[in-house]
Amino acid sequence: MNLDDCATTTQRVKCIQGVPTTTEEIKEKYLCSSALFDYVYSCSARLKGGLYDLGNGSPNSKDGSTFLGRGFIQLTGKANYEDISTLWNKDPENANNKKYFHKQASDGGHIDELETDLDVAMKASMYYWKWKDCNSKADNDDTAGVTYNIKGSDDDKEVENRGTIKNKAIDVLK
């Protein structure tokens, strides 16, 4: 696979760079490296035929490691970062506080604030939650529905894991 290629909603691309022959090769290539995120969060998101397209470029774009899970909702993918920027900036309350989460600070962006500013991280998470229409699902204790709205998937194992985490959180809050 050419690491500049990405699948589309109509054409799938197998993300195979070659199978490492030893554990050491895997560790050397991916351990403590952004390469794993750049690889996994580029092609795999499109392998479902575009249902869960993160909007990241090819592995060489470095979008996978740049737009990985941040904030309370673990926002992932360039497209989601751009959408949160748009939602934030549409809110009249933010007229004098525009944010561009899909850009680095060096480019006039605010991506780091999703990790360093609790108020910004919480508010961005709430925009995402509302945008993905999760309240009614959560009010009905529909973990599968929330998972589907957020990820475009309601895999049984993932729903079970999310349900366990949710129940632990509820116990802590009681």
Side-chain angles (χ1 to χ4, degrees):
M1 175 185 146
N2 178 341
L3 292 183
D4 286 317
D5 288 343
C6 264
T8 66
T9 56
T10 57
Q11 180 184 7
R12 294 179 181 212
V13 172
K14 277 202 167 217
C15 291
I16 299 173
Q17 289 177 271
V19 178
T21 56
T22 67
T23 303
E24 289 75 28
E25 244 183 275
I26 294 170
K27 286 181 183 177
E28 183 180 313
K29 184 162 192 152
Y30 293 115
L31 192 63
C32 298
S33 166
S34 62
L36 179 62
F37 298 106
D38 293 328
Y39 181 71
V40 171
Y41 288 122
S42 65
C43 295
S44 71
R46 291 181 177 84
L47 291 178
K48 295 179 184 176
L51 178 64
Y52 183 56
D53 187 351
L54 296 172
N56 292 345
S58 70
N60 281 339
S61 74
K62 306 291 184 211
D63 285 348
S65 58
T66 301
F67 301 104
L68 52 80
R70 283 191 179 83
F72 291 103
I73 209 148
Q74 291 296 288
L75 190 65
T76 303
K78 186 175 185 176
N80 286 324
Y81 279 66
E82 289 173 342
D83 289 335
I84 290 304
S85 298
T86 300
L87 293 167
W88 181 286
N89 293 331
K90 275 184 177 178
D91 188 338
E93 182 179 301
N94 299 324
N96 296 318
N97 188 24
K98 301 290 186 191
K99 300 286 183 191
Y100 302 94
F101 301 113
H102 58 288
K103 295 181 180 181
Q104 299 290 344
S106 59
D107 296 323
H110 306 91
I111 192 171
D112 294 332
E113 290 184 32
L114 293 169
E115 292 180 304
T116 61
D117 186 317
L118 291 176
D119 292 332
V120 168
M122 179 56 75
K123 193 171 181 178
S125 296
M126 290 189 297
Y127 283 122
Y128 188 81
W129 185 263
K130 183 177 179 183
W131 172 53
K132 291 294 188 169
D133 193 29
C134 293
N135 249 19
S136 62
K137 304 283 186 206
D139 287 346
N140 291 319
D141 199 26
D142 181 2
T143 304
V146 170
T147 302
Y148 186 81
N149 285 13
I150 298 267
K151 292 200 62 169
S153 166
D154 56 1
D155 174 73
D156 290 341
K157 185 106 176 129
E158 184 165 357
V159 170
E160 181 181 334
N161 289 340
R162 286 174 177 254
T164 300
I165 293 167
K166 174 200 67 172
N167 291 336
K168 286 180 184 178
I170 289 170
D171 288 343
V172 168
L173 294 172
K174 283 183 180 179

